[in-house]
Structure formats: structure tokens, C-alpha cells
Amino acid sequence: DDSQGDKSEEKYSLTMNAPVGDTFATLSMESKVVLFSLAFVWVYLVITAVVSWTKSTARWIYDLLGFGLDEEEMLGIKHHKKGGNRSKSKSKSKSKSKAGKGGKVNKPAGDAASSDTSETPLGVGQQREGAWSVVPKRPSKTHKKPQHAAEKNHPLHINTLKGHTDAVNMVSFSGNGSTVVTACDDATVRVFRLDGGAKCKAPRLLRIPLDRDATGACFANVAALDDPAATDGIVVMGTSGLGETRLVSFAIYDAAGKPPEVRWDKKSAMDGKTAISLSCGGGGEGLGVGGAPIRIPPVAVCSSDQTWVRVWAVDSGVEIGRFDTLQFKNHNAAVSMDGNMIAVSTFTSEVKIWLVLRSRQGAPMGVDSKRAAMTLKGHRSAVNWVQFSPCSTRAVTVSKDKTLKLWNLSVRYDVGEDPKVLASVDLSDECGAGRMPTRVALSAAGVAAVMIGNSLIFYKISHGLAGTSVKLARVDAPHGSGAAVKWMEWSQIPHAIDGDAVEVLATAGSDKRVSLWRSPRS
């Protein structure tokens, strides 16, 4: 018995002291598969936990440093968000009641009798199906609602485009400046024909209803300067309550009674991600093989609220590229007017620029997503907004470091040369009590319009050796106190106003209006 005990004890000792490799080799194939599976699951869970912890920590630091403030908090505007939601749901309930029992709220593109037609807001003409209507002048009343101070008193104010029933998210000019398109939270896109110029008080109006909030709209051939190419098509972005982004291209006809026509429709344009900006570039003339003039087909770019950017060929609706900025959070994406460059402002202090790859005939073929062609280096904090100049050779940025910078893009990027700063404007005197520059737009004459807090400020920027700037004018509360400016854009073509050729800026606000402003005299 003692000998048997010694043998079993020796066998146990040998088993315990055996190398791990030898023990693993003795396992069956089924046991090895189970062990490998458990190890893979364990490694996956560890990596997922580390990534989640890293993101949470980064967001905590982001909020701790004040970067997590939303746009309205940065603007210093206090809104009762629950009240805003009630108003939006109220407007949607109205549209549902108009559809009738069992009826669909979603109407075809050609159904111009949109949700705001049965109860026509003041200043909006009744519109028959598929037709252009005329926005009449506001009738005189003994008890008028008080106008905004800027509209009533400021000498730079030209006109107000009315008829929206909710916040206006985006406004865009056609290439020839004769038409304006707006995207509104009342699930409607509106096209205004300014037949009498920027001061036209009764523009022709076309409504295009969507099945969700309209969050972006711009003309497809933004670089085209002549009718009808400049105004014959628009690209529209809509966002559902769940954050799903839809992208639609419409053909627009000037003929009375002919409804808009859907060219293509991307019902899940961002694969579940929410898009925060839309930009179009191209559609003008360029040089082809042998120097022959050709049309440069336009592209449309959407930026998500995370890090993804997607690019479509507007003529065909084909997605030609997508890329990840890898910068934690996008702020906006812009396309140059010629449709050849894409710039994205992000959480970081640098702005990267990608190139749109085109065939010898000018057709967009893709995006060089592996590496950015250029990088704008010079800011010390996150860049809030980036925009190209109308000539596509300049870019302008505003940052949380309270500066505005003008960049020269005419560099040899193919040999690694990055753009240089032509001018830098210190905005710290205007940035008090948490106010930050949030929007910027540059005119063809070099006038930069900047939103700082709830003030619209104009600067004339010269980019000589000194790179100086002059503050031209300031408009406080351009859309009224408590209303945010959500978008602004310059017309490429000056408008004839009182015998002068004047550059015109359009601003879209949460006060349900679009305002037109003349450029200050320098």
C-alpha cells in the first residue's frame, strides 16, 4: 500500500511539474478550440473596456475644459429646451392632422401644398400644387408685432425672407445670386426667387416638403454663374428624430406648374450617423485635355457629428468616397467652390484638407482618403469653423483660441508644402463672458463676417506683408435677443442696390427668419 501511494504521489508530482506546453499538447482538439474561443472573448472584452474607458475619460476632460458646451451655450443663449420640443411636436401634430385619418404626412416632392399651406403663415402666399407662389408684402395693421432691432434700425439690413414656421438651419445662394434656398426645422425646404434683387419684398416661393427636419440645403451647381444651370438643382439634407440622415437631389424648374423632380434619394446617407453639415462645390467651367473648356461636375459632402465624412457625385448620386478624420469630433466640412478640395474643422487645432480625385474629363472619381493633401497649422485650440473663399485659393478659420486666420492655399502640396497664414485677427476684445467665434464666411472682396456670441462682426482683411485687418461694423443680436444665427453665407455675385454693386450676406436664425445684409463700406 505504501508503494502504491508513493507511485501515485510521484505521478501527481510529475503531472504538476510538467511544462505547460506539454500539458496543452495532450489536450484534445475540441478542448483547444474551447480554450482559444475563451481567450479571444477575454481579449475582446478587455480591449472594449479599455476603449470605452478611454472615450469616457476623454469626454470628461472635454467637458471639464469647457469644450463640451453645445452651440447655444457657447453663444450665451438660454433656451427652455422642453418648450422648444413642445413647439416642434406641436407643429408636427398640426401636419399630422392635416393629413387626415389614415393619411400619410410624407408627401411627394411635387406636392407643393406642404404642411404649412392649410394654415398659411403671415407673409406666405397660398400655393397650388407644383407651382411657384408669390410672398406678398406684410399688410399694414394697427397693432404690429415688434420687429427685431437690427431689422428696424441697422443700416446694413436689406431684407428679411419670411414664411418659415420653425428654426432655419441653413441658407445658401445660387451661383448667380438670384435665388436663395433654405432648410428649416418645419420639415420644409424653401426656394426664394429674388427677381427684383436682394431688396425684393415679394419673391416667388417654392416649397418642398420632407418627411423629417430639413437640416441642410444648397444649390448643386454652386460654381455656375448663369441661368439656368445655376438654379436648376439643389441637394437637400434631412435628419429624423432618431438621427438618421437622408440626402436628396431635386431638379428645380422655373416653369409654372412643373413640380420639382427627385433625381436621386439616399434614405440612409450616413448609415445611422447624424450629419451636422452639408456643402456642395463644382458645377462651373474648367479646363480639360488640351485646355478645352469643360464643365466640372459638382460634389456634395456631409460631415457626421462624430468623425466620418462622406462624398457624393451630385450628377449621379454615387458615393465616391468616405474617410475618418480621426480627430474625436467634427465641427463642419466645406468644399471649395471649384469642387476640388474638402476641408474639415475638428476638435483639434489643425484643419486637414483632402483632394477630390477627378478624371481627365473632370468627372469626380474619389477622394484620396489615405492622407490629407494639406494641413492648416497655426491655431492653439480647436477650430470651430472653416470656409473656402469664392476663388478657392484661400481659406478662413475661427478657433477657440479667439483668433481668425486667413490661409493661402496656392502652395506646392505635392512636395509637402503646407498653406501659410496670410493674416491673423485677434478677436479677444470681442470674446468676453464665455463668448466664442462660432461661424465665419469670407466674401470675394475679402470681407469676413464672424459670429462671436450673439454678435455679427464684419472685418476687412488685407493679406499683404503686414496681414492687417480693420473692423468695419458690428450688429448685436442680428436675429433678435435670444435667437441664434445657425448659418451664414455670402453671395458670389454683387447685387445692385441703390445704384451700387453690393456684396450681400445671408444669415439663417432660430427666429424662423433669413436676413440679408449688405457688406459695410471699407
Side-chain angles (χ1 to χ4, degrees):
D1 294 339
D2 292 340
S3 60
Q4 291 180 356
D6 293 341
K7 289 181 181 180
S8 60
E9 185 175 341
E10 181 181 1
K11 184 177 180 181
Y12 176 76
S13 176
L14 290 174
T15 304
M16 291 296 294
N17 295 328
V20 177
D22 295 343
T23 304
F24 182 78
T26 60
L27 297 177
S28 64
M29 182 59 65
E30 292 79 4
S31 300
K32 291 179 180 179
V33 171
V34 171
L35 286 176
F36 273 122
S37 301
L38 292 175
F40 176 79
V41 171
W42 182 83
V43 171
Y44 174 79
L45 292 176
V46 169
I47 293 176
T48 302
V50 170
V51 171
S52 177
W53 178 85
T54 303
K55 286 185 176 181
S56 300
T57 304
R59 289 190 181 275
W60 178 78
I61 296 174
Y62 190 72
D63 294 333
L64 179 65
L65 297 177
F67 299 138
L69 297 177
D70 61 25
E71 184 181 50
E72 292 188 347
E73 290 173 328
M74 288 176 60
L75 290 170
I77 298 169
K78 297 180 180 179
H79 286 305
H80 198 302
K81 293 187 177 180
K82 291 184 178 180
N85 293 337
R86 283 197 300 268
S87 63
K88 187 178 291 187
S89 62
K90 188 176 181 180
S91 63
K92 289 182 179 180
S93 64
K94 286 184 180 179
S95 62
K96 288 181 180 180
S97 64
K98 293 167 194 173
K101 293 184 178 179
K104 295 183 178 179
V105 178
N106 305 347
K107 298 183 180 181
D111 189 0
S114 60
S115 61
D116 57 356
T117 302
S118 60
E119 292 184 9
T120 307
L122 192 62
V124 179
Q126 190 75 15
Q127 183 185 9
R128 65 183 183 276
E129 182 175 355
W132 290 83
S133 65
V134 175
V135 181
K137 295 182 180 180
R138 183 182 293 270
S140 59
K141 291 185 178 181
T142 55
H143 300 286
K144 291 184 179 180
K145 292 183 179 180
Q147 291 181 322
H148 298 299
E151 292 183 4
K152 187 175 181 180
N153 301 321
H154 207 285
L156 296 182
H157 183 261
I158 302 172
N159 199 359
T160 300
L161 303 181
K162 308 179 184 72
H164 309 89
T165 61
D166 211 324
V168 185
N169 295 308
M170 186 173 178
V171 58
S172 181
F173 280 101
S174 61
N176 59 3
S178 67
T179 311
V180 172
V181 62
T182 64
C184 183
D185 269 345
D186 61 6
T188 306
V189 171
R190 291 169 175 83
V191 183
F192 296 85
R193 297 282 200 199
L194 305 177
D195 296 326
K199 298 184 72 174
C200 177
K201 297 299 182 182
R204 287 184 294 151
L205 172 63
L206 177 67
R207 299 182 186 87
I208 304 176
L210 299 179
D211 63 345
R212 61 196 68 193
D213 292 346
T215 51
C218 56
F219 286 92
N221 298 309
V222 66
L225 304 180
D226 299 319
D227 275 329
T231 58
D232 66 355
I234 59 175
V235 178
V236 174
M237 181 175 73
T239 304
S240 68
L242 298 177
E244 183 65 51
T245 299
R246 184 176 184 179
L247 201 65
V248 189
S249 174
F250 290 98
I252 303 297
Y253 303 99
D254 201 42
K258 191 168 185 180
E261 178 183 342
V262 176
R263 288 174 172 166
W264 48 263
D265 186 354
K266 306 297 179 183
K267 295 183 179 180
S268 183
M270 302 295 288
D271 290 342
K273 300 178 179 66
T274 301
I276 58 174
S277 70
L278 170 68
S279 181
C280 291
E285 287 189 358
L287 297 179
V289 180
I294 59 172
R295 174 180 174 270
I296 304 298
V299 295
V301 175
C302 283
S303 166
S304 75
D305 59 352
Q306 299 175 11
T307 59
W308 280 98
V309 176
R310 295 195 180 185
V311 188
W312 287 267
V314 174
D315 288 352
S316 62
V318 174
E319 181 182 334
I320 63 171
R322 63 176 68 182
F323 56 91
D324 190 341
T325 60
L326 302 175
Q327 300 299 325
F328 186 70
K329 182 180 181 181
N330 295 339
H331 290 162
N332 86 300
V335 188
S336 60
M337 195 63 64
D338 60 11
N340 291 328
M341 293 179 286
I342 301 171
V344 185
S345 66
T346 66
F347 168 74
T348 67
S349 60
E350 297 181 352
V351 174
K352 296 185 182 298
I353 298 179
W354 287 263
L355 296 182
V356 177
L357 306 178
R358 295 182 178 270
S359 68
R360 299 181 67 185
Q361 290 74 33
M365 305 297 293
V367 178
D368 187 0
S369 58
K370 293 183 179 179
R371 65 180 183 90
M374 294 175 274
T375 304
L376 308 183
K377 302 176 182 179
H379 284 294
R380 301 187 306 275
S381 187
V383 177
N384 287 329
W385 206 258
V386 60
Q387 199 61 251
F388 289 97
S389 65
C391 63
S392 301
T393 61
R394 305 282 189 267
V396 63
T397 55
V398 289
S399 167
K400 290 180 180 178
D401 63 9
K402 302 177 184 179
T403 62
L404 176 152
K405 294 186 185 297
L406 179 68
W407 308 81
N408 177 24
L409 304 182
S410 299
V411 296
R412 296 176 299 169
Y413 57 83
D414 52 340
V415 296
E417 183 179 358
D418 283 325
K420 302 298 188 295
V421 177
L422 294 174
S424 183
V425 182
D426 185 3
L427 306 174
S428 57
D429 290 343
E430 302 290 342
C431 298
R435 290 156 52 95
M436 289 287 177
T438 55
R439 298 281 188 275
V440 64
L442 185 67
S443 76
V447 177
V450 188
M451 279 303 303
I452 302 178
N454 202 20
S455 298
L456 174 62
I457 306 175
F458 296 89
Y459 293 90
K460 174 65 177 178
I461 301 178
S462 60
H463 48 81
L465 295 177
T468 59
S469 64
V470 178
K471 179 180 173 181
L472 299 178
R474 170 172 171 162
V475 183
D476 290 321
H479 283 256
S481 60
V485 172
K486 302 176 75 68
W487 201 273
M488 58 185 183
E489 181 176 305
W490 288 98
S491 172
Q492 297 182 66
I493 303 298
H495 288 241
I497 299 176
D498 300 331
D500 296 329
V502 178
E503 290 187 310
V504 176
L505 176 75
T507 58
S510 59
D511 63 339
K512 311 175 187 179
R513 299 183 180 212
V514 170
S515 293
L516 303 182
W517 310 85
R518 64 180 299 155
S519 176
R521 299 181 186 274
S522 57

PDB file of all heavy atoms in Angstrom, residues 32-44:
ATOM      1  N   LYS A  32      -8.935  22.413 -27.214  1.00  0.00           N
ATOM      2  CA  LYS A  32      -8.124  23.523 -27.708  1.00  0.00           C
ATOM      3  C   LYS A  32      -9.003  24.619 -28.313  1.00  0.00           C
ATOM      4  O   LYS A  32      -8.786  25.815 -28.095  1.00  0.00           O
ATOM      5  CB  LYS A  32      -7.124  23.026 -28.744  1.00  0.00           C
ATOM      6  CG  LYS A  32      -6.027  22.151 -28.181  1.00  0.00           C
ATOM      7  CD  LYS A  32      -5.073  21.684 -29.291  1.00  0.00           C
ATOM      8  CE  LYS A  32      -3.979  20.797 -28.723  1.00  0.00           C
ATOM      9  NZ  LYS A  32      -3.072  20.318 -29.790  1.00  0.00           N
ATOM     10  N   VAL A  33     -10.034  24.219 -29.075  1.00  0.00           N
ATOM     11  CA  VAL A  33     -10.945  25.195 -29.679  1.00  0.00           C
ATOM     12  C   VAL A  33     -11.670  25.988 -28.603  1.00  0.00           C
ATOM     13  O   VAL A  33     -11.819  27.211 -28.695  1.00  0.00           O
ATOM     14  CB  VAL A  33     -11.950  24.478 -30.613  1.00  0.00           C
ATOM     15  CG1 VAL A  33     -13.033  25.449 -31.070  1.00  0.00           C
ATOM     16  CG2 VAL A  33     -11.233  23.895 -31.812  1.00  0.00           C
ATOM     17  N   VAL A  34     -12.085  25.285 -27.548  1.00  0.00           N
ATOM     18  CA  VAL A  34     -12.790  25.964 -26.463  1.00  0.00           C
ATOM     19  C   VAL A  34     -11.868  26.965 -25.774  1.00  0.00           C
ATOM     20  O   VAL A  34     -12.252  28.113 -25.485  1.00  0.00           O
ATOM     21  CB  VAL A  34     -13.324  24.931 -25.454  1.00  0.00           C
ATOM     22  CG1 VAL A  34     -13.867  25.633 -24.203  1.00  0.00           C
ATOM     23  CG2 VAL A  34     -14.413  24.090 -26.092  1.00  0.00           C
ATOM     24  N   LEU A  35     -10.620  26.566 -25.513  1.00  0.00           N
ATOM     25  CA  LEU A  35      -9.676  27.464 -24.865  1.00  0.00           C
ATOM     26  C   LEU A  35      -9.379  28.690 -25.725  1.00  0.00           C
ATOM     27  O   LEU A  35      -9.312  29.821 -25.241  1.00  0.00           O
ATOM     28  CB  LEU A  35      -8.383  26.712 -24.536  1.00  0.00           C
ATOM     29  CG  LEU A  35      -8.442  25.737 -23.367  1.00  0.00           C
ATOM     30  CD1 LEU A  35      -7.125  24.992 -23.213  1.00  0.00           C
ATOM     31  CD2 LEU A  35      -8.787  26.470 -22.074  1.00  0.00           C
ATOM     32  N   PHE A  36      -9.179  28.473 -27.029  1.00  0.00           N
ATOM     33  CA  PHE A  36      -8.925  29.587 -27.944  1.00  0.00           C
ATOM     34  C   PHE A  36     -10.119  30.551 -27.971  1.00  0.00           C
ATOM     35  O   PHE A  36      -9.956  31.773 -27.995  1.00  0.00           O
ATOM     36  CB  PHE A  36      -8.645  29.063 -29.350  1.00  0.00           C
ATOM     37  CG  PHE A  36      -7.194  28.716 -29.579  1.00  0.00           C
ATOM     38  CD1 PHE A  36      -6.818  27.444 -29.953  1.00  0.00           C
ATOM     39  CD2 PHE A  36      -6.204  29.691 -29.414  1.00  0.00           C
ATOM     40  CE1 PHE A  36      -5.487  27.134 -30.159  1.00  0.00           C
ATOM     41  CE2 PHE A  36      -4.869  29.385 -29.628  1.00  0.00           C
ATOM     42  CZ  PHE A  36      -4.506  28.097 -29.990  1.00  0.00           C
ATOM     43  N   SER A  37     -11.319  29.991 -27.981  1.00  0.00           N
ATOM     44  CA  SER A  37     -12.521  30.834 -28.011  1.00  0.00           C
ATOM     45  C   SER A  37     -12.626  31.674 -26.748  1.00  0.00           C
ATOM     46  O   SER A  37     -12.907  32.879 -26.793  1.00  0.00           O
ATOM     47  CB  SER A  37     -13.766  29.970 -28.177  1.00  0.00           C
ATOM     48  OG  SER A  37     -13.705  29.213 -29.369  1.00  0.00           O
ATOM     49  N   LEU A  38     -12.383  31.029 -25.592  1.00  0.00           N
ATOM     50  CA  LEU A  38     -12.455  31.777 -24.338  1.00  0.00           C
ATOM     51  C   LEU A  38     -11.394  32.870 -24.279  1.00  0.00           C
ATOM     52  O   LEU A  38     -11.646  33.985 -23.812  1.00  0.00           O
ATOM     53  CB  LEU A  38     -12.290  30.820 -23.160  1.00  0.00           C
ATOM     54  CG  LEU A  38     -13.437  29.818 -22.930  1.00  0.00           C
ATOM     55  CD1 LEU A  38     -13.083  28.849 -21.813  1.00  0.00           C
ATOM     56  CD2 LEU A  38     -14.728  30.569 -22.592  1.00  0.00           C
ATOM     57  N   ALA A  39     -10.196  32.554 -24.767  1.00  0.00           N
ATOM     58  CA  ALA A  39      -9.131  33.565 -24.771  1.00  0.00           C
ATOM     59  C   ALA A  39      -9.474  34.737 -25.684  1.00  0.00           C
ATOM     60  O   ALA A  39      -9.234  35.905 -25.345  1.00  0.00           O
ATOM     61  CB  ALA A  39      -7.816  32.923 -25.211  1.00  0.00           C
ATOM     62  N   PHE A  40     -10.064  34.445 -26.847  1.00  0.00           N
ATOM     63  CA  PHE A  40     -10.447  35.506 -27.789  1.00  0.00           C
ATOM     64  C   PHE A  40     -11.515  36.409 -27.169  1.00  0.00           C
ATOM     65  O   PHE A  40     -11.434  37.640 -27.254  1.00  0.00           O
ATOM     66  CB  PHE A  40     -10.955  34.888 -29.087  1.00  0.00           C
ATOM     67  CG  PHE A  40     -11.470  35.900 -30.076  1.00  0.00           C
ATOM     68  CD1 PHE A  40     -10.610  36.630 -30.858  1.00  0.00           C
ATOM     69  CD2 PHE A  40     -12.842  36.130 -30.204  1.00  0.00           C
ATOM     70  CE1 PHE A  40     -11.077  37.566 -31.764  1.00  0.00           C
ATOM     71  CE2 PHE A  40     -13.326  37.060 -31.094  1.00  0.00           C
ATOM     72  CZ  PHE A  40     -12.431  37.776 -31.882  1.00  0.00           C
ATOM     73  N   VAL A  41     -12.531  35.793 -26.543  1.00  0.00           N
ATOM     74  CA  VAL A  41     -13.592  36.577 -25.907  1.00  0.00           C
ATOM     75  C   VAL A  41     -13.029  37.446 -24.794  1.00  0.00           C
ATOM     76  O   VAL A  41     -13.384  38.621 -24.651  1.00  0.00           O
ATOM     77  CB  VAL A  41     -14.696  35.647 -25.366  1.00  0.00           C
ATOM     78  CG1 VAL A  41     -15.696  36.431 -24.522  1.00  0.00           C
ATOM     79  CG2 VAL A  41     -15.408  34.940 -26.510  1.00  0.00           C
ATOM     80  N   TRP A  42     -12.097  36.871 -24.004  1.00  0.00           N
ATOM     81  CA  TRP A  42     -11.495  37.637 -22.902  1.00  0.00           C
ATOM     82  C   TRP A  42     -10.713  38.842 -23.430  1.00  0.00           C
ATOM     83  O   TRP A  42     -10.832  39.949 -22.919  1.00  0.00           O
ATOM     84  CB  TRP A  42     -10.590  36.715 -22.094  1.00  0.00           C
ATOM     85  CG  TRP A  42      -9.973  37.404 -20.904  1.00  0.00           C
ATOM     86  CD1 TRP A  42     -10.540  37.588 -19.681  1.00  0.00           C
ATOM     87  CD2 TRP A  42      -8.668  37.983 -20.841  1.00  0.00           C
ATOM     88  NE1 TRP A  42      -9.681  38.255 -18.855  1.00  0.00           N
ATOM     89  CE2 TRP A  42      -8.526  38.514 -19.534  1.00  0.00           C
ATOM     90  CE3 TRP A  42      -7.611  38.097 -21.744  1.00  0.00           C
ATOM     91  CZ2 TRP A  42      -7.356  39.156 -19.128  1.00  0.00           C
ATOM     92  CZ3 TRP A  42      -6.454  38.736 -21.339  1.00  0.00           C
ATOM     93  CH2 TRP A  42      -6.331  39.260 -20.052  1.00  0.00           C
ATOM     94  N   VAL A  43      -9.921  38.636 -24.482  1.00  0.00           N
ATOM     95  CA  VAL A  43      -9.141  39.738 -25.066  1.00  0.00           C
ATOM     96  C   VAL A  43     -10.067  40.798 -25.653  1.00  0.00           C
ATOM     97  O   VAL A  43      -9.839  42.011 -25.478  1.00  0.00           O
ATOM     98  CB  VAL A  43      -8.180  39.202 -26.147  1.00  0.00           C
ATOM     99  CG1 VAL A  43      -7.534  40.360 -26.914  1.00  0.00           C
ATOM    100  CG2 VAL A  43      -7.114  38.319 -25.529  1.00  0.00           C
ATOM    101  N   TYR A  44     -11.140  40.359 -26.316  1.00  0.00           N
ATOM    102  CA  TYR A  44     -12.093  41.314 -26.905  1.00  0.00           C
ATOM    103  C   TYR A  44     -12.753  42.162 -25.825  1.00  0.00           C
ATOM    104  O   TYR A  44     -12.885  43.383 -25.962  1.00  0.00           O
ATOM    105  CB  TYR A  44     -13.151  40.556 -27.706  1.00  0.00           C
ATOM    106  CG  TYR A  44     -14.262  41.425 -28.229  1.00  0.00           C
ATOM    107  CD1 TYR A  44     -14.077  42.216 -29.377  1.00  0.00           C
ATOM    108  CD2 TYR A  44     -15.499  41.479 -27.589  1.00  0.00           C
ATOM    109  CE1 TYR A  44     -15.087  43.020 -29.850  1.00  0.00           C
ATOM    110  CE2 TYR A  44     -16.503  42.290 -28.061  1.00  0.00           C
ATOM    111  CZ  TYR A  44     -16.299  43.051 -29.186  1.00  0.00           C
ATOM    112  OH  TYR A  44     -17.300  43.860 -29.663  1.00  0.00           O
TER     113      TYR A  44
END
